[in-house]
Amino acid sequence: MKNFLRSAASAVAICSLFAFSACESEEISPDASLNAQASQDAHRNKSFNLSKTYTADIMALNGSGVMGTATLTLEGDMVTVHIMASGLEPNQLHPQHIHGFMDSNKNAVCPPPSADTDGDGLIELGEGAPFYGPILQPLTPFPTAPNGTINYTRTFEVTADMLPLQNNVIVLHGMTVNGQYWATLPVACGEIKPANMKKMK
């Protein structure tokens, strides 16, 4: 009888040990958690480093006749901006910027004719600001448009304020009004869009 009880107790102990081991095996080990986190980080980094292309059709403001295109290539935390435009006033400094809102949920747009709130026939810098927002990135060095054209390329580190890029616009400035060169006057604007979105249209 004692042998039977001893055997039964051993069996219960063995069963308890198996049950405890089974419970332990269902728990996520610290190593498994670390591996899962590493996998997520790798996926995030891989996505971040993919090359993404954006374009902007640059259209005239204030009757300037300026038109062109811009291409932005985002690779990791670096962006290359290439602008080709014509119709600018030759041999004058033409400031150019990426404009947008630091609130990533608000899209910058090019100002409509109704932005001319003072009725002088021109959309001035301040009148356009409610539509395209403040300057997020000056595209320096500013070109001087020999022969009225620019072919500009620059690579720089993108800041968090500029993301997502498709929320922003590119604005070109500079035109003579009543015999005086007005360097801050917006003369063209282009809304930045993902390149594949343009192809789908």
Side-chain angles (χ1 to χ4, degrees):
M1 183 68 178
K2 289 182 179 179
N3 290 336
F4 173 77
L5 291 175
R6 190 179 295 111
S7 299
S10 299
V12 170
I14 291 170
C15 289
S16 298
L17 180 61
F18 274 117
F20 180 74
S21 299
C23 290
E24 278 195 324
S25 65
E26 291 177 359
E27 294 179 358
I28 299 175
S29 69
D31 288 342
S33 297
L34 289 173
N35 290 338
Q37 184 63 45
S39 177
Q40 290 177 0
D41 290 343
H43 177 74
R44 188 180 299 111
N45 290 336
K46 182 178 179 182
S47 298
F48 184 66
N49 287 321
L50 289 176
S51 176
K52 300 176 184 178
T53 302
Y54 303 80
T55 60
D57 292 326
I58 297 173
M59 307 298 289
L61 291 174
N62 291 318
S64 67
V66 176
M67 61 184 304
T69 59
T71 303
L72 299 87
T73 304
L74 181 65
E75 296 187 75
D77 59 353
M78 303 299 291
V79 62
T80 298
V81 178
H82 182 209
I83 300 173
M84 296 185 68
S86 61
L88 293 136
E89 192 165 333
N91 303 313
Q92 293 282 8
L93 194 68
H94 291 280
Q96 52 185 12
H97 314 91
I98 294 176
H99 286 255
F101 297 95
M102 294 184 185
D103 179 358
S104 61
N105 293 320
K106 187 173 182 180
N107 288 337
V109 296
C110 295
S114 60
D116 176 23
T117 55
D118 63 7
D120 65 352
L122 296 171
I123 300 173
E124 300 166 26
L125 181 63
E127 291 174 323
F131 297 90
Y132 48 62
I135 295 170
L136 298 181
Q137 177 66 49
L139 298 175
T140 54
F142 296 147
T144 56
N147 302 315
T149 63
I150 60 173
N151 187 347
Y152 170 92
T153 302
R154 181 187 166 196
T155 300
F156 53 89
E157 186 174 0
V158 69
T159 64
D161 292 339
M162 293 172 58
L163 298 175
L165 286 176
Q166 64 263 30
N167 284 12
N168 306 323
V169 301
I170 291 177
V171 181
L172 309 184
H173 304 261
M175 186 172 74
T176 295
V177 178
N178 297 326
Q180 182 176 359
Y181 186 71
W182 199 342
T184 61
L185 187 70
V187 295
C189 177
E191 297 174 5
I192 300 172
K193 301 181 184 300
N196 58 351
M197 180 182 292
K198 187 174 180 181
K199 291 178 182 178
M200 291 172 61
K201 291 184 177 181

